């Protein structure tokens, strides 16, 4: 059986033998035969001798390097903040693995940052890019403008805060308090309904 | 008592080796990660698949691989007499065997400490729901894009009025002498589920098994067709 790029295959379809290609994404080597594991179209890269499947349906939400993710700050230490990763941006599917992430003080913003508590507080929801993957442990980066805190609560009264004219500052309307954060360009400014 | 004359027809007019009319549709639910709807004879089955996802039932999770959990549930209105809702002995058993029938086809090694949830809802029941449920669940799993080696397909054979017949209806199941539901991987024909209820001689059992496997091959064609109509179209419209 000959397959070519663009062919529609089912899980278990034989794409070739292991002498022909190296199995890449969504393919596997079953005792010398390269098979598809997912519904989709075949993609053969002749120069690299690689065969992969482009999924036609949704596929499990696994993060890749450079993906944008949303997470909640669970702890802020001296050099690192711990983040519970909740969702990938633009993908409406629950994450396949229980990802735990950290962000180092040097990865938060460009330039020098003295205290991590000046940019993140426990409970903040952040948007960040994945910079390193070790199994289900991730390293994140928020140096870009659109990355940073997208939703934060006041540390005194726990009301949602709104951004101010000043960069990297949030204001609590309930207790008239200003707090410092690394505010994302995508900060959620919608008024909360009671 | 039904009177089956000694011709080659069954009570509902089918031949001994004929399956009931079968219809499968993939990707019917919007919010589920994968789904399928199946109708065979009087059965109507809806399957939803979620995951792989994080689960809070820590004791079920495995550190080296993902796990699958099934829930087989019959709607109270799915049978003639109202069925008391909630899990019972039968549906607990079918949930377990369905998960075990589907597991060998899945490649969940890439998703340690996560769980795939399969919900098999019987909307109308008319015999052979466990096989039909597994068949539909496999289509839903493929629709969800979960890595799998093969589709799993289920079909039953049995003995009614001393004849070995394929794909028993509810009436044949109740009044017949034996029922052999099986599930197998469609390509390799590895059997992942084999149950037997009633009395069969060794030869009869072999004949029933062969017949059920032949039924599986027929059902598999419909499974593939369902996935193709849903997904091959998407591919064409994109290009």
């Amino acid at each position: 059986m000959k397959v070519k790029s663009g062919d529609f295959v089912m899980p278990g379809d034989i794409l070739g033998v292991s002498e022909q290609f190296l199995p890449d994404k969504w393919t596997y080597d079953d005792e010398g035969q390269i098979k598809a594991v997912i519904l989709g179209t075949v993609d053969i890269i002749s120069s690299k001798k690689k065969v992969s499947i482009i999924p036609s349906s949704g596929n499990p939400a696994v993060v890749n390097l450079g993906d944008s993710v949303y997470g909640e700050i669970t702890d802020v230490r001296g050099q690192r903040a711990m983040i519970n990763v909740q969702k990938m941006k633009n993908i409406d599917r629950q994450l396949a693995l229980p990802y735990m992430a950290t962000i180092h003080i040097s990865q938060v913003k460009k330039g020098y940052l003295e205290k991590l508590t000046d940019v993140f507080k426990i409970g903040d929801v952040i948007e960040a890019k994945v910079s390193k993957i070790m199994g289900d442990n991730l390293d994140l980066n928020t140096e870009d403008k659109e990355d940073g805190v997208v939703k934060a609560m006041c540390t005194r009264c726990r009301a949602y805060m709104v951004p101010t004219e000043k960069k990297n500052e949030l204001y609590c309307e309930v207790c008239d308090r200003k707090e410092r954060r690394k505010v994302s360009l995508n900060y959620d400014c919608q008024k909360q309904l009671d | 008592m039904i009177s089956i004359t000694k011709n080659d027809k069954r009570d509902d007019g089918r031949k001994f080796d004929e399956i009931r009319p079968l219809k499968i549709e993939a990707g019917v639910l919007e919010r589920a990660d994968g789904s399928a709807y199946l109708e065979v004879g009087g059965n109507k089955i809806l399957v939803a698949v979620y995951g792989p996802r994080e689960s809070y039932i820590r004791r079920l999770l495995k550190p080296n691989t993902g796990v699958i959990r099934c829930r087989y549930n019959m709607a109270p209105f799915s049978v003639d007499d109202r069925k008391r809702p909630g899990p019972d002995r039968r549906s607990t058993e079918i949930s377990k065997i369905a998960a075990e029938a589907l597991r060998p086809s899945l490649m969940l090694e890439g998703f340690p400490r996560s769980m795939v949830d399969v919900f098999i809802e019987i909307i109308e029941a008319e015999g052979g729901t466990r096989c039909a449920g597994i068949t539909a669940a496999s289509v839903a799993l493929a629709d969800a894009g979960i890595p799998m080696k093969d589709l799993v397909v289920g079909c039953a054979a049995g003995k009614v009025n001393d004849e070995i017949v394929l794909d028993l209806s509810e009436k044949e199941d109740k009044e017949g002498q034996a029922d052999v539901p099986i599930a197998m991987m469609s390509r390799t024909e590895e059997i992942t589920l084999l149950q037997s209820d009633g009395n069969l001689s060794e030869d009869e059992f072999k004949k029933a098994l062969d017949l059920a496997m032949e039924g599986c091959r027929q059902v598999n064609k419909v499974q593939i067709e369902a996935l193709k109509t849903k997904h091959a179209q998407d591919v064409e419209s994109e290009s």
Side-chain angles (χ1 to χ4, degrees):
Chain A
M1 197 181 90
K2 282 269 194 303
V3 290
K4 54 185 191 302
S5 281
D7 279 357
F8 183 77
V9 287
M10 307 285 293
D13 273 351
I14 299 161
L15 306 171
V17 290
S18 52
E19 285 85 353
Q20 275 179 288
F21 314 108
L22 284 167
D24 202 19
K25 279 204 133 189
W26 307 119
T27 57
Y28 78 112
D29 190 332
D30 185 18
E31 290 170 5
Q33 285 180 321
I34 309 294
K35 291 180 177 175
V37 297
I38 200 169
L39 282 170
T41 48
V42 183
D43 181 30
I44 298 171
I45 306 166
S46 317
S47 60
K48 288 180 181 165
K49 292 278 170 213
K50 274 184 178 171
V51 62
S52 58
I53 306 291
I54 303 163
S56 64
S57 55
N59 51 298
V62 180
V63 300
N64 293 307
L65 226 54
D67 285 347
S68 279
V69 294
Y70 291 112
E72 188 190 345
I73 309 273
T74 53
D75 195 9
V76 183
R77 305 246 176 97
Q79 297 278 301
R80 269 179 197 282
M82 308 293 168
I83 294 127
N84 201 350
V85 182
Q86 301 284 356
K87 194 180 166 294
M88 279 163 86
K89 198 182 181 184
N90 302 328
I91 292 178
D92 259 347
R93 198 162 162 166
Q94 281 171 283
L95 289 168
L97 301 171
Y99 288 109
M100 284 303 295
T102 62
I103 183 161
H104 191 253
I105 193 161
S106 64
Q107 305 275 305
V108 174
K109 58 192 228 179
K110 292 191 180 84
Y112 179 69
L113 180 65
E114 202 171 326
K115 269 159 61 195
L116 203 52
T117 44
D118 283 346
V119 285
F120 296 132
K121 295 262 165 64
I122 290 174
D124 289 359
V125 178
I126 65 158
E127 179 179 336
K129 290 197 179 66
V130 178
S131 59
K132 196 177 173 191
I133 302 171
M134 296 147 292
D136 54 4
N137 289 313
L138 308 176
D139 269 5
L140 303 179
N141 180 305
T142 55
E143 280 176 354
D144 287 338
K145 267 188 202 156
E146 66 270 22
D147 293 335
V149 176
V150 289
K151 191 101 207 177
M153 286 185 289
C154 171
T155 48
R156 196 196 303 169
C157 68
R158 297 266 103 185
Y160 290 113
M161 295 195 288
V162 293
T164 59
E165 303 84 60
K166 261 170 124 184
K167 207 181 146 198
N168 294 336
E169 195 176 64
L170 294 172
Y171 174 68
C172 174
E173 290 168 318
V174 178
C175 59
D176 186 33
R177 211 172 112 96
K178 282 176 181 163
E179 283 189 23
R180 289 171 61 78
R181 296 292 152 89
K182 198 295 181 182
V183 181
S184 157
L185 212 61
N186 303 331
Y187 190 87
D188 178 25
C189 299
Q190 278 180 340
K191 283 264 187 273
Q192 289 295 307
L193 295 169
D194 289 322
Chain B
M1 204 49 206
I2 47 163
S3 64
I4 292 186
T5 47
K6 278 289 162 202
N7 59 18
D8 60 346
K9 285 281 167 64
R10 285 199 254 167
D11 201 32
D12 50 7
R14 280 189 287 157
K15 292 195 194 103
F16 294 136
D17 59 349
E18 194 179 339
I19 58 169
R20 289 171 287 178
L22 173 64
K23 192 185 100 179
I24 307 177
E25 205 178 322
V28 287
L29 300 174
E30 200 169 316
R31 297 297 298 270
D33 293 334
S35 58
Y37 175 69
L38 179 142
E39 277 184 25
V40 55
N43 291 313
K44 288 182 179 159
I45 298 170
L46 196 54
V47 180
V49 170
Y50 297 86
R53 63 182 178 181
E54 190 180 352
S55 174
Y56 300 100
I57 313 170
R58 296 270 165 216
R59 68 191 160 82
L60 296 180
L61 301 182
K62 290 188 178 157
N64 56 344
T65 183
V67 290
I68 176 173
R69 189 175 60 156
C70 271
R71 194 181 85 128
Y72 169 98
N73 184 46
M74 284 177 102
F77 50 82
S78 65
V79 278
D80 290 341
D81 295 323
R82 183 184 130 94
K83 183 197 167 284
R84 205 181 129 88
D88 52 20
R89 209 175 74 155
R90 178 175 170 276
S91 63
T92 315
E93 175 203 320
I94 298 177
S95 303
K96 180 180 179 287
I97 57 114
E100 284 167 6
L102 294 165
R103 180 62 252 246
S105 75
L106 301 176
M107 303 173 86
L108 297 174
E109 292 75 20
F111 311 101
R113 273 167 281 133
S114 67
M115 180 182 268
V116 176
D117 280 308
V118 179
F119 297 95
I120 303 169
E121 298 290 330
I122 311 297
I123 298 163
E124 274 184 43
E126 205 248 327
T129 53
R130 71 187 68 196
C131 291
I134 290 166
T135 306
S138 192
V139 174
L141 284 164
D143 181 54
I146 292 163
M148 55 206 288
K149 292 176 188 156
D150 213 338
L151 289 171
V152 177
V153 52
C155 194
K159 186 179 166 191
V160 179
N161 286 44
D162 297 322
E163 286 287 349
I164 302 298
V165 295
L166 183 61
D167 192 22
L168 302 167
S169 67
E170 190 176 22
K171 202 173 176 187
E172 287 169 327
D173 189 19
K174 276 191 184 134
E175 292 168 5
Q177 294 138 298
D179 177 24
V180 182
I182 73 158
M184 68 175 194
M185 308 252 251
S186 58
R187 256 170 266 263
T188 55
E189 308 205 332
E190 286 170 76
I191 289 171
T192 61
L193 163 74
L194 177 59
Q195 293 185 308
S196 184
D197 177 20
N199 295 316
L200 287 169
S201 71
E202 203 179 320
D203 286 342
E204 282 171 334
F205 179 77
K206 276 180 187 158
K207 203 178 160 196
L209 188 61
D210 285 342
L211 199 59
M213 285 172 83
E214 184 49 44
C216 285
R217 286 178 205 117
Q218 290 178 37
V219 175
N220 180 240
K221 285 183 189 133
V222 185
Q223 273 185 318
I224 292 171
E225 208 49 50
L227 287 166
K228 270 190 180 157
T229 46
K230 169 73 184 160
H231 293 292
Q233 278 175 348
D234 295 351
V235 172
E236 277 163 29
S237 58
E238 270 169 36
S239 58

